[in-house]
Amino acid sequence: MTTQLNPVLRYGASASLIALIVLCLLWELRIAPLRPGGSLLALKALPLLLPLRGVLRGSLYTLQWAAMLVLLYFVEGVVRAWSDPSPLSAAMGGLEVVLSLVFFCCAIFYLRPAKRAARARKVSP
C-alpha cells in the first residue's frame, strides 16, 4: 500500500516557512524593530532555519517536529499582535500568526495520509 502525499501542501509548508523566516528578519531589523537600527530579537529566525532543509525535501519527521516548533511563533505573534503598542509591530504579529497557522495546517494535512498508512500497517498482520 503506497501513500500519496500532496505536493501542494508540501510547497505551502515550504513557502510559509520561508516567508516566516523573512518576516522575522525584516520585522526586527527594518520594519518595526524594538530599537532603532534593529534588535537582537532577529535571532528568533535562527530556529526556523533548522527544519528548512527537511521541510523543503518533504521529510515526514522534520515536518512533524517543525509543526510543533512553529506553534511558538504562533504564540509570539498572538501576544505581540494583542499587546504591542506600535500598530506596525502589531500588524507584523498578526502576519506571523497567519504564516504560522498556514505552515501548521499544511504540515498536518501533508502528514495525515502517511500517519494513517503507518497506523494501518501496525494494525494489519
Side-chain angles (χ1 to χ4, degrees):
M1 177 174 164
T2 61
T3 304
Q4 185 65 28
L5 300 175
N6 189 341
V8 173
L9 292 172
R10 187 182 63 152
Y11 298 140
S14 299
S16 59
L17 181 62
I18 291 168
L20 193 55
I21 292 167
V22 170
L23 173 73
C24 288
L25 291 171
L26 289 177
W27 181 4
E28 301 302 341
L29 295 175
R30 295 276 182 234
I31 297 174
L34 291 176
R35 295 194 171 117
S39 72
L40 286 178
L41 202 53
L43 294 176
K44 71 182 179 186
L46 287 178
L48 292 172
L49 293 173
L50 296 174
L52 183 58
R53 183 174 173 189
V55 169
L56 291 172
R57 291 182 176 185
S59 166
L60 299 180
Y61 178 74
T62 305
L63 278 159
Q64 286 176 3
W65 67 262
M68 298 300 109
L69 172 68
V70 82
L71 292 176
L72 295 172
Y73 293 85
F74 171 78
V75 170
E76 186 217 10
V78 168
V79 169
R80 293 197 58 189
W82 186 262
S83 65
D84 210 319
S86 164
L88 187 55
S89 189
M92 295 292 104
L95 187 55
E96 184 176 34
V97 167
V98 169
L99 290 173
S100 61
L101 281 176
V102 168
F103 177 84
F104 184 79
C105 291
C106 285
I108 294 301
F109 288 118
Y110 180 77
L111 293 166
R112 181 193 270 178
K115 289 296 184 181
R116 284 187 180 159
R119 199 174 305 123
R121 281 192 304 270
K122 189 175 184 181
V123 171
S124 66

